[in-house]
Amino acid sequence: MDVTVGIVGPAHALKGEVLVDTRSDVVEKRIYPGAQLRTEPAAAGPLTVQTVRVHKGRLAVRFEGVSDRNAAESLRGVHLVVDTDEVEPEVNAWYPHELRGLTVCDSQERELGVVKDLQLGAAQDLLVVSTERGDVLVPFVEAIVPVVDVPGGYVRVTPPGGLFDDDFE
């Protein structure tokens, strides 16, 4: 299955460099000079990384054959993907497809809902939990989501008051 390791952002400067929002904890193993990455949409690639550097906390990447700002800007929004079979698993990292459908329960094992999706955020990712009352966005941080048991089929949460309705009867 394909997973996104980066999303091409805006062009940076004039010579074809782009900023990339990474979606991997081990970026150096995914996006490095010489790496060939498939893309979504497929027509945009594959792309071969020519140079990589960090610019203000983001990756600035130049791809082979992309030599000016217009060509770089045309890549905005393209997802850089790899096959999950091609990569080593990351510790305490899950792909969205692994989380979807997991039961969400609290520390007293009361079912709160089901993971609908993973929303990627700037500060932290958010679990989208489908409940009887609608979707709830749960910050995907260890303090609130201390247990993720994919084989067991559940996620345990310790939500702050008000995140989920407290009237379980």
Side-chain angles (χ1 to χ4, degrees):
M1 172 173 279
D2 287 343
V3 294
T4 299
V5 295
I7 301 172
V8 178
H12 180 69
L14 301 174
K15 295 186 179 180
E17 204 170 45
V18 295
L19 296 177
V20 174
D21 293 318
T22 59
R23 298 291 185 254
S24 173
D25 289 340
V26 287
V27 174
E28 65 281 355
K29 290 185 179 182
R30 311 283 190 253
I31 303 172
Y32 55 88
Q36 188 173 51
L37 300 166
R38 288 181 288 110
T39 61
E40 287 181 11
L47 295 172
T48 302
V49 177
Q50 185 174 10
T51 63
V52 179
R53 65 185 179 88
V54 177
H55 175 73
K56 295 184 179 179
R58 294 174 77 185
L59 281 190
V61 179
R62 184 171 312 181
F63 296 106
E64 290 180 7
V66 179
S67 58
D68 63 30
R69 186 174 184 84
N70 290 336
E73 192 61 38
S74 73
L75 294 174
R76 186 188 287 235
V78 168
H79 287 229
L80 306 172
V81 298
V82 297
D83 190 320
T84 55
D85 294 335
E86 297 173 1
V87 298
E88 298 173 27
E90 298 176 26
V91 177
N92 290 329
W94 299 273
Y95 297 115
H97 71 273
E98 294 175 305
L99 298 170
R100 289 184 197 109
L102 296 181
T103 300
V104 178
C105 60
D106 64 12
S107 58
Q108 285 79 40
E109 298 188 15
R110 294 180 292 196
E111 289 189 20
L112 303 174
V114 175
V115 177
K116 181 178 176 180
D117 205 358
L118 178 67
Q119 183 177 324
L120 303 174
Q124 76 268 331
D125 297 338
L126 300 166
L127 288 178
V128 180
V129 179
S130 179
T131 71
E132 291 178 356
R133 295 180 179 94
D135 290 347
V136 176
L137 299 177
V138 178
F140 197 17
V141 295
E142 189 172 3
I144 298 173
V145 186
V147 177
V148 176
D149 187 346
V150 173
Y154 72 94
V155 174
R156 180 161 294 123
V157 297
T158 55
L163 188 59
F164 289 92
D165 290 331
D166 295 328
D167 57 338
F168 295 101
E169 298 176 332

Coordinates of all heavy atoms in Angstrom, one line a residue, residues 1-61:
M1 N 0.8 -1.2 0.0 CA 0.0 0.0 0.0 C 0.9 1.2 0.0 O 1.9 1.3 0.7 CB -0.9 0.0 1.2 CG -1.7 1.3 1.4 SD -2.9 1.2 2.7 CE -4.2 0.4 1.9
D2 N 0.5 2.2 -0.8 CA 1.2 3.5 -0.8 C 0.9 4.4 0.4 O -0.2 4.5 0.8 CB 0.9 4.3 -2.1 CG 1.5 3.6 -3.3 OD1 2.4 2.8 -3.2 OD2 1.0 4.0 -4.4
V3 N 2.0 5.0 0.9 CA 1.8 6.0 2.0 C 2.5 7.2 1.6 O 3.6 7.2 0.9 CB 2.3 5.4 3.3 CG1 1.5 4.3 3.8 CG2 3.8 5.0 3.3
T4 N 2.0 8.3 2.0 CA 2.6 9.7 1.7 C 3.7 9.9 2.7 O 3.5 9.8 3.9 CB 1.5 10.8 1.8 OG1 0.5 10.5 0.9 CG2 2.1 12.1 1.6
V5 N 4.9 10.3 2.2 CA 6.0 10.7 3.0 C 6.3 12.1 3.0 O 7.1 12.7 3.8 CB 7.3 9.9 2.7 CG1 7.1 8.4 3.0 CG2 7.8 10.1 1.3
G6 N 5.6 12.8 2.1 CA 5.8 14.3 2.0 C 4.8 14.8 1.0 O 4.3 14.1 0.1
I7 N 4.5 16.1 1.2 CA 3.6 16.8 0.3 C 4.3 18.1 -0.2 O 4.8 18.9 0.6 CB 2.2 17.2 1.0 CG1 1.5 16.0 1.5 CG2 1.3 18.0 0.0 CD1 0.3 16.2 2.4
V8 N 4.4 18.2 -1.5 CA 5.1 19.4 -2.1 C 4.3 20.6 -1.8 O 3.1 20.7 -2.1 CB 5.3 19.2 -3.6 CG1 6.0 20.4 -4.2 CG2 6.1 17.9 -3.9
G9 N 5.0 21.6 -1.2 CA 4.4 22.9 -1.0 C 4.8 23.9 -2.0 O 5.0 23.6 -3.2
P10 N 4.9 25.2 -1.6 CA 5.2 26.2 -2.6 C 6.6 26.2 -3.1 O 7.5 25.6 -2.5 CB 5.0 27.5 -1.8 CG 5.2 27.1 -0.3 CD 4.7 25.7 -0.2
A11 N 6.8 26.8 -4.3 CA 8.1 27.0 -4.8 C 8.9 27.9 -3.9 O 8.4 28.7 -3.2 CB 8.1 27.6 -6.2
H12 N 10.2 27.6 -3.8 CA 11.1 28.4 -3.0 C 12.2 29.0 -3.8 O 13.0 28.2 -4.4 CB 11.7 27.6 -1.8 CG 12.6 28.3 -0.9 ND1 12.1 29.3 -0.1 CD2 13.9 28.3 -0.7 CE1 13.1 29.8 0.6 NE2 14.2 29.2 0.2
A13 N 12.3 30.3 -3.9 CA 13.3 30.9 -4.7 C 13.0 30.8 -6.2 O 11.9 30.5 -6.6 CB 14.8 30.5 -4.4
L14 N 14.0 30.9 -7.1 CA 13.8 30.9 -8.5 C 14.3 29.7 -9.3 O 14.0 29.6 -10.5 CB 14.4 32.2 -9.1 CG 13.9 33.5 -8.5 CD1 14.8 34.7 -9.0 CD2 12.5 33.7 -8.8
K15 N 15.1 28.9 -8.7 CA 15.8 27.8 -9.4 C 15.2 26.4 -9.3 O 15.9 25.4 -9.4 CB 17.2 27.8 -9.1 CG 17.9 29.1 -9.5 CD 19.4 29.1 -9.3 CE 20.0 30.4 -9.8 NZ 21.4 30.4 -9.6
G16 N 13.9 26.3 -9.0 CA 13.2 25.0 -9.0 C 13.1 24.3 -7.7 O 12.6 23.2 -7.6
E17 N 13.5 25.0 -6.6 CA 13.4 24.4 -5.3 C 12.0 24.5 -4.8 O 11.3 25.5 -5.0 CB 14.4 25.1 -4.3 CG 14.8 24.2 -3.2 CD 16.0 24.9 -2.4 OE1 15.9 26.1 -2.2 OE2 16.9 24.2 -2.1
V18 N 11.5 23.5 -4.0 CA 10.2 23.5 -3.4 C 10.3 23.2 -1.9 O 11.3 22.6 -1.5 CB 9.2 22.5 -4.0 CG1 8.9 22.8 -5.5 CG2 9.8 21.0 -3.9
L19 N 9.4 23.7 -1.1 CA 9.3 23.3 0.3 C 8.4 22.1 0.4 O 7.4 22.0 -0.3 CB 8.7 24.5 1.1 CG 9.6 25.7 1.1 CD1 8.9 26.8 1.9 CD2 11.0 25.4 1.7
V20 N 8.8 21.1 1.2 CA 8.1 19.9 1.4 C 7.6 19.7 2.8 O 8.5 19.8 3.7 CB 8.9 18.7 0.9 CG1 8.2 17.3 1.2 CG2 9.3 18.8 -0.5
D21 N 6.4 19.5 3.0 CA 5.8 19.1 4.3 C 6.0 17.6 4.5 O 5.4 16.8 3.8 CB 4.4 19.5 4.5 CG 4.2 21.0 4.4 OD1 5.0 21.7 5.1 OD2 3.2 21.5 3.8
T22 N 6.8 17.2 5.5 CA 7.1 15.8 5.6 C 6.0 15.1 6.4 O 5.3 15.7 7.3 CB 8.5 15.6 6.3 OG1 8.4 16.2 7.6 CG2 9.6 16.2 5.4
R23 N 5.9 13.8 6.1 CA 4.9 12.9 6.8 C 5.6 11.7 7.3 O 5.1 10.6 7.2 CB 3.7 12.6 5.9 CG 2.9 13.8 5.4 CD 2.2 14.4 6.6 NE 1.3 15.4 6.2 CZ 1.5 16.7 6.4 NH1 2.6 17.1 7.0 NH2 0.6 17.6 6.0
S24 N 6.8 11.8 7.8 CA 7.6 10.7 8.2 C 8.5 11.1 9.4 O 9.0 12.3 9.4 CB 8.5 10.2 7.1 OG 9.4 9.2 7.5
D25 N 8.7 10.2 10.3 CA 9.6 10.5 11.4 C 11.1 10.3 11.1 O 12.0 10.7 11.8 CB 9.3 9.7 12.7 CG 8.0 10.1 13.3 OD1 7.5 11.3 13.0 OD2 7.4 9.3 14.0
V26 N 11.3 9.6 10.0 CA 12.7 9.3 9.5 C 12.9 9.8 8.1 O 13.1 9.1 7.2 CB 13.0 7.8 9.6 CG1 13.2 7.4 11.1 CG2 11.9 7.0 8.9
V27 N 12.8 11.1 8.0 CA 12.8 11.8 6.7 C 14.1 11.5 5.9 O 14.1 11.2 4.7 CB 12.7 13.3 6.9 CG1 12.9 14.1 5.6 CG2 11.4 13.7 7.5
E28 N 15.2 11.4 6.7 CA 16.5 11.2 6.0 C 16.5 9.8 5.3 O 17.3 9.6 4.4 CB 17.6 11.3 7.0 CG 17.7 10.2 8.1 CD 16.7 10.5 9.2 OE1 16.0 11.6 9.3 OE2 16.6 9.7 10.1
K29 N 15.7 8.9 5.7 CA 15.6 7.6 5.0 C 14.6 7.6 3.9 O 14.5 6.6 3.1 CB 15.2 6.5 6.0 CG 16.3 6.2 7.0 CD 15.9 5.0 7.9 CE 17.0 4.7 8.9 NZ 16.6 3.6 9.7
R30 N 13.8 8.6 3.7 CA 12.8 8.7 2.7 C 13.1 9.7 1.6 O 12.9 9.4 0.4 CB 11.5 9.1 3.3 CG 11.1 8.3 4.5 CD 10.5 6.9 4.2 NE 10.0 6.3 5.4 CZ 10.5 5.4 6.1 NH1 11.7 4.9 5.7 NH2 9.9 4.9 7.1
I31 N 13.6 10.9 2.0 CA 13.9 12.0 1.0 C 15.3 12.4 1.2 O 15.7 13.0 2.1 CB 12.9 13.2 1.3 CG1 11.5 12.7 1.3 CG2 13.2 14.3 0.3 CD1 10.5 13.8 1.7
Y32 N 16.1 11.9 0.2 CA 17.5 12.2 0.2 C 18.0 12.2 -1.3 O 17.3 11.8 -2.2 CB 18.3 11.0 0.9 CG 18.0 9.7 0.4 CD1 18.7 9.1 -0.7 CD2 16.9 8.9 0.9 CE1 18.4 7.9 -1.2 CE2 16.6 7.7 0.4 CZ 17.3 7.2 -0.6 OH 17.0 5.9 -1.2
P33 N 19.2 12.9 -1.5 CA 19.7 13.0 -2.9 C 19.8 11.6 -3.5 O 20.3 10.7 -3.0 CB 21.0 13.6 -2.7 CG 20.9 14.4 -1.5 CD 20.0 13.6 -0.6
G34 N 19.2 11.5 -4.7 CA 19.2 10.2 -5.4 C 17.9 9.4 -5.2 O 17.6 8.5 -6.0
A35 N 17.1 9.7 -4.2 CA 15.9 8.9 -4.0 C 14.9 9.2 -5.1 O 14.7 10.3 -5.5 CB 15.3 9.3 -2.7
Q36 N 14.3 8.1 -5.6 CA 13.3 8.3 -6.6 C 11.9 8.0 -5.9 O 11.7 6.9 -5.4 CB 13.5 7.3 -7.8 CG 12.5 7.6 -8.9 CD 12.8 6.8 -10.1 OE1 13.0 5.5 -10.1 NE2 13.0 7.4 -11.3
L37 N 11.0 9.0 -6.0 CA 9.8 8.9 -5.3 C 8.6 8.9 -6.3 O 8.6 9.7 -7.3 CB 9.6 10.1 -4.4 CG 10.7 10.2 -3.3 CD1 10.6 11.6 -2.7 CD2 10.5 9.1 -2.3
R38 N 7.7 8.0 -6.1 CA 6.5 8.0 -6.9 C 5.6 9.1 -6.4 O 5.8 9.6 -5.3 CB 5.7 6.6 -6.8 CG 6.5 5.5 -7.6 CD 5.9 4.2 -7.5 NE 6.1 3.6 -6.2 CZ 5.1 3.4 -5.3 NH1 3.8 3.7 -5.7 NH2 5.3 2.9 -4.2
T39 N 4.6 9.5 -7.2 CA 3.8 10.6 -6.9 C 2.3 10.3 -7.0 O 1.9 9.4 -7.7 CB 4.1 11.8 -7.8 OG1 3.8 11.4 -9.2 CG2 5.5 12.3 -7.6
E40 N 1.5 11.1 -6.3 CA 0.0 11.1 -6.5 C -0.3 12.5 -6.8 O 0.0 13.4 -5.9 CB -0.7 10.6 -5.3 CG -0.6 9.1 -5.1 CD -1.3 8.6 -3.9 OE1 -2.1 9.3 -3.3 OE2 -1.1 7.4 -3.6
P41 N -0.8 12.9 -7.9 CA -1.1 12.0 -9.0 C 0.2 11.4 -9.7 O 1.2 12.1 -9.7 CB -1.9 12.9 -10.0 CG -1.4 14.3 -9.7 CD -1.0 14.3 -8.2
A42 N 0.0 10.3 -10.3 CA 1.1 9.5 -10.9 C 1.7 10.3 -12.0 O 2.9 10.2 -12.3 CB 0.7 8.2 -11.3
A43 N 0.9 11.1 -12.7 CA 1.4 11.9 -13.9 C 2.5 12.9 -13.5 O 3.2 13.3 -14.4 CB 0.2 12.6 -14.6
A44 N 2.6 13.3 -12.3 CA 3.5 14.3 -11.9 C 4.9 13.7 -11.7 O 5.9 14.4 -11.5 CB 3.1 14.9 -10.5
G45 N 5.0 12.4 -11.7 CA 6.3 11.8 -11.4 C 6.6 10.6 -12.3 O 6.0 10.5 -13.3
P46 N 7.6 9.8 -11.9 CA 8.3 9.8 -10.6 C 9.2 11.0 -10.5 O 9.7 11.5 -11.6 CB 9.0 8.5 -10.5 CG 9.2 8.1 -11.9 CD 8.0 8.7 -12.7
L47 N 9.6 11.4 -9.3 CA 10.5 12.5 -9.1 C 11.8 12.0 -8.4 O 11.7 11.2 -7.5 CB 9.9 13.6 -8.2 CG 8.7 14.3 -8.8 CD1 8.0 15.2 -7.8 CD2 9.1 15.1 -10.0
T48 N 12.9 12.4 -8.9 CA 14.2 12.0 -8.4 C 14.8 13.3 -7.6 O 14.9 14.3 -8.2 CB 15.2 11.6 -9.4 OG1 14.6 10.5 -10.1 CG2 16.5 11.2 -8.8
V49 N 15.1 13.0 -6.3 CA 15.6 14.1 -5.5 C 17.0 14.5 -5.9 O 17.9 13.6 -6.0 CB 15.6 13.7 -4.0 CG1 16.2 14.8 -3.1 CG2 14.2 13.4 -3.6
Q50 N 17.3 15.8 -6.2 CA 18.6 16.2 -6.6 C 19.3 16.8 -5.3 O 20.5 16.4 -5.1 CB 18.5 17.3 -7.7 CG 19.8 17.7 -8.2 CD 19.7 18.7 -9.3 OE1 18.6 19.2 -9.7 NE2 20.8 19.0 -10.0
T51 N 18.7 17.7 -4.6 CA 19.3 18.2 -3.4 C 18.2 18.4 -2.3 O 17.0 18.5 -2.6 CB 19.9 19.6 -3.6 OG1 18.8 20.5 -4.0 CG2 21.0 19.6 -4.7
V52 N 18.7 18.3 -1.0 CA 17.8 18.5 0.1 C 18.6 19.4 1.1 O 19.7 19.2 1.4 CB 17.5 17.1 0.8 CG1 16.6 17.3 2.0 CG2 16.9 16.2 -0.2
R53 N 17.8 20.3 1.7 CA 18.4 21.1 2.8 C 17.2 21.5 3.7 O 16.1 21.5 3.3 CB 19.2 22.3 2.3 CG 18.4 23.3 1.6 CD 19.2 24.4 1.0 NE 18.4 25.4 0.3 CZ 17.9 26.5 0.9 NH1 18.1 26.7 2.2 NH2 17.1 27.3 0.2
V54 N 17.6 21.9 4.9 CA 16.5 22.4 5.8 C 16.5 23.9 5.8 O 17.5 24.6 5.8 CB 16.8 21.9 7.3 CG1 15.8 22.5 8.3 CG2 16.9 20.4 7.4
H55 N 15.3 24.4 5.6 CA 15.1 25.9 5.5 C 14.0 26.2 6.5 O 12.8 25.9 6.3 CB 14.7 26.3 4.1 CG 14.4 27.7 4.0 ND1 15.4 28.7 4.1 CD2 13.2 28.4 3.8 CE1 14.8 29.9 4.0 NE2 13.5 29.7 3.8
K56 N 14.3 26.9 7.6 CA 13.3 27.3 8.6 C 12.5 26.2 9.1 O 11.2 26.3 9.2 CB 12.5 28.5 8.1 CG 13.3 29.8 7.8 CD 12.4 30.9 7.4 CE 13.3 32.1 7.2 NZ 12.5 33.3 6.8
G57 N 13.1 25.1 9.4 CA 12.4 23.9 9.9 C 11.6 23.1 8.9 O 11.0 22.1 9.2
R58 N 11.7 23.4 7.6 CA 11.0 22.6 6.6 C 12.1 22.2 5.6 O 13.2 22.7 5.5 CB 10.0 23.5 5.8 CG 8.8 23.8 6.7 CD 7.9 24.8 6.0 NE 7.1 24.1 5.0 CZ 6.2 24.7 4.2 NH1 6.1 26.0 4.2 NH2 5.5 24.0 3.3
L59 N 11.8 21.1 4.8 CA 12.7 20.6 3.8 C 12.6 21.5 2.6 O 11.5 21.7 2.1 CB 12.4 19.2 3.4 CG 12.9 18.1 4.4 CD1 12.7 16.7 3.7 CD2 14.3 18.3 4.8
A60 N 13.7 21.9 2.0 CA 13.8 22.6 0.7 C 14.4 21.5 -0.2 O 15.5 21.1 0.0 CB 14.6 23.8 0.8
V61 N 13.6 21.1 -1.2 CA 14.1 20.0 -2.1 C 14.1 20.5 -3.5 O 13.2 21.2 -4.0 CB 13.1 18.8 -1.9 CG1 13.5 17.7 -2.9 CG2 13.0 18.4 -0.5

